């Protein structure tokens, strides 16, 4: 609840700041007030809605099946591991889901720490050692305990608001200036007419669309940086639960696994992401390379740090 309040304050501050700038420039109007509301609703509201739908969407994407009652020894063992680790981390035991995939992977999702979901692939269960599977589960459990899904959503909401509000505010300024200059050339300046027509002009529509794409790319870099940062902490949290040796072994097995070809809407949730090779692609990678993650564990870089964002 504390992080939600803090991010709401941040979100409101972004809108108030730029609304004030427009007001000082003499461009505050009813349309600007509408823009402030729209940025908040679609930017932050959309992210919150996606968080509450995250379990349903994730299961739909991978065709996962929730295991409420074990039907074999593997499922029974997985449920026991999840309950055991949840008890150690003092959180409610998440639901278990299994989905059919050659890819050795797993992910966690959910709107609340005590009502989350962990999904594992059949490829992981068939090809990984039990100690490594336990380490992967511990990694996902630490994401849940640290509230990473919630924090990621709130950060996404803030940057969405920023992108919508800034791009459209700048587009409004540029369109207004363009219209102003055209009227000066025609010697038919009508200030009141500007405020009404700027938002419907073709110039405004084109510029706002281009700026949303540009600022959206920069915003993605911020979100993906946070995602990569939290992977190190989840690895360290797993190492504390099941041993550093087991977590490193799990990462080494993931490194040698079938390369994921999934570039779907939940790719950022997986423990093992599609491999990246270039500097530019690394900026938009949701996960650091497995080599960097292994190195961080070997040097104990994150082992003595708090796993909580705040």
């Amino acid at each position: 609840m504390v992080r939600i309040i803090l991010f709401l304050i941040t979100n409101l501050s972004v809108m108030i700041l730029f609304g004030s700038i427009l007001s000082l420039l003499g461009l505050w109007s009813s349309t600007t007030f509408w823009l402030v509301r729209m940025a908040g609703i679609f930017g932050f509201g959309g992210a919150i809605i996606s968080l509450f739908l995250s379990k349903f969407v994730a299961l739909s994407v991978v065709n996962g099946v929730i295991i409420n009652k074990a039907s074999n020894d593997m499922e029974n063992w997985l449920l026991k591991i999840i309950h055991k680790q949840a008890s150690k981390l003092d959180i409610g035991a998440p639901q278990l889901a299994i989905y059919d995939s050659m890819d050795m992977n797993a992910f966690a999702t959910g709107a609340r720490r005590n009502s989350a979901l962990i999904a594992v692939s059949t490829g992981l269960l068939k090809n990984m050692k039990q100690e490594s599977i336990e380490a992967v589960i511990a990694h996902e459990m630490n994401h849940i305990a640290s509230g990473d899904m919630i924090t990621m959503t709130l950060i996404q909401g803030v940057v969405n608001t920023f992108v919508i509000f800034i791009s459209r505010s700048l587009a409004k300024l540029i369109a207004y200036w363009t219209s102003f200059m055209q009227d000066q050339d025609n010697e038919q300046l009508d200030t009141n007419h500007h405020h009404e027509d700027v938002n419907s002009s073709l110039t405004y529509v084109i510029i706002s669309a281009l700026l949303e794409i540009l600022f959206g790319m920069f915003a993605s870099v911020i979100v993906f940086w946070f995602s990569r940062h939290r992977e190190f902490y989840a690895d360290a949290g797993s190492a504390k639960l099941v041993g550093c040796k087991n977590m490193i072994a799990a990462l080494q097995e993931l490194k040698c696994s079938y390369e994921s070809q999934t570039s779907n809407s939940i790719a950022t949730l997986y423990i093992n992401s599609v491999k990246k090779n270039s500097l530019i692609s690394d900026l938009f990678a949701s996960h650091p390379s497995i080599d960097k993650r292994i190195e961080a564990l070997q040097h104990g870089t994150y082992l003595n740090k708090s796993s909580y964002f705040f």
Side-chain angles (χ1 to χ4, degrees):
M1 181 57 72
V2 173
R3 74 183 72 197
I4 292 176
I5 293 173
L6 288 175
F7 274 97
L8 282 172
I9 292 172
T10 302
N11 200 56
L12 289 171
S13 298
V14 169
M15 294 188 290
I16 291 171
L17 172 62
F18 289 99
S20 299
I21 292 174
L22 288 178
S23 180
L24 290 173
L25 292 173
L27 296 176
W28 181 268
S29 65
S30 59
T31 56
T32 306
F33 180 68
W34 173 83
L35 176 57
V36 170
R37 289 186 298 173
M38 186 192 71
I41 293 172
F42 287 97
F44 205 82
I48 293 295
I49 291 172
S50 69
L51 175 64
F52 283 100
L53 293 176
S54 59
K55 288 203 298 187
F56 171 78
V57 171
L59 286 174
S60 299
V61 169
V62 300
N63 292 319
V65 177
I66 293 178
I67 309 300
N68 292 315
K69 186 176 181 181
S71 60
N72 55 52
D73 291 341
M74 174 58 77
E75 292 177 0
N76 186 54
W77 177 77
L78 285 171
L79 289 171
K80 285 183 178 179
I81 289 298
I82 287 174
H83 280 81
K84 177 183 174 183
Q85 293 184 3
S87 178
K88 288 183 178 180
L89 293 170
D90 194 27
I91 60 173
Q95 290 178 294
L96 168 67
I98 296 176
Y99 64 97
D100 188 26
S101 174
M102 292 173 60
D103 185 21
M104 290 168 58
N105 236 321
F107 65 85
T109 189
R112 295 189 295 118
R113 296 169 72 235
N114 294 319
S115 181
L117 169 82
I118 288 180
V120 295
S121 70
T122 53
L124 182 140
L125 298 178
K126 290 177 181 178
N127 300 304
M128 209 175 238
K129 297 175 183 177
Q130 280 201 338
E131 294 83 358
S132 297
I133 295 174
E134 188 174 355
V136 169
I137 296 295
H139 172 98
E140 301 304 336
M141 292 291 288
N142 273 274
H143 274 311
I144 295 170
S146 299
D148 287 342
M149 292 86 71
I150 300 170
T151 306
M152 174 77 81
T153 300
L154 295 173
I155 290 175
Q156 185 69 65
V158 171
V159 298
N160 285 349
T161 300
F162 178 85
V163 167
I164 294 171
F165 191 81
I166 299 303
S167 61
R168 300 201 178 194
S169 296
L170 288 177
K172 182 176 180 179
L173 285 171
I174 295 170
Y176 181 85
W177 177 253
T178 302
S179 178
F180 179 85
M181 296 303 293
Q182 288 175 347
D183 282 343
Q184 272 200 328
D185 292 338
N186 297 328
E187 297 181 350
Q188 295 177 349
L189 180 61
D190 184 350
T191 303
N192 292 329
H193 186 62
H194 290 316
H195 285 293
E196 296 172 0
D197 292 347
V198 163
N199 289 315
S200 62
S201 71
L202 181 61
T203 303
Y204 170 79
V205 173
I206 294 174
I207 293 174
S208 63
L210 291 174
L211 288 176
E212 280 195 36
I213 294 172
L214 178 62
F215 288 130
M217 291 177 63
F218 285 114
S220 294
V221 171
I222 297 172
V223 174
F224 285 130
W225 170 86
F226 175 79
S227 177
R228 293 193 301 272
H229 184 68
R230 296 310 301 173
E231 288 303 313
F232 288 118
Y233 281 100
D235 287 343
S238 175
K240 292 176 184 178
L241 274 180
V242 301
C244 193
K245 181 180 177 181
N246 288 336
M247 188 61 218
I248 290 175
L251 289 172
Q252 288 171 335
E253 290 184 52
L254 289 172
K255 183 180 178 181
C256 299
S257 71
Y258 167 78
E259 183 175 342
S260 172
Q261 298 300 317
T262 53
S263 56
N264 55 46
S265 59
I266 63 166
T268 57
L269 299 177
Y270 293 121
I271 185 174
N272 190 19
S273 65
V274 177
K275 296 174 176 61
K276 306 291 180 179
N277 296 313
S278 68
L279 179 62
I280 298 298
S281 62
D282 283 346
L283 286 175
F284 295 93
S286 60
H287 291 57
S289 70
I290 288 184
D291 286 334
K292 289 182 180 178
R293 292 166 66 180
I294 292 174
E295 183 180 354
L297 286 171
Q298 289 173 335
H299 290 87
T301 309
Y302 295 86
L303 289 173
N304 296 320
K305 297 180 181 179
S306 171
S307 64
Y308 293 92
F309 183 56
F310 57 76

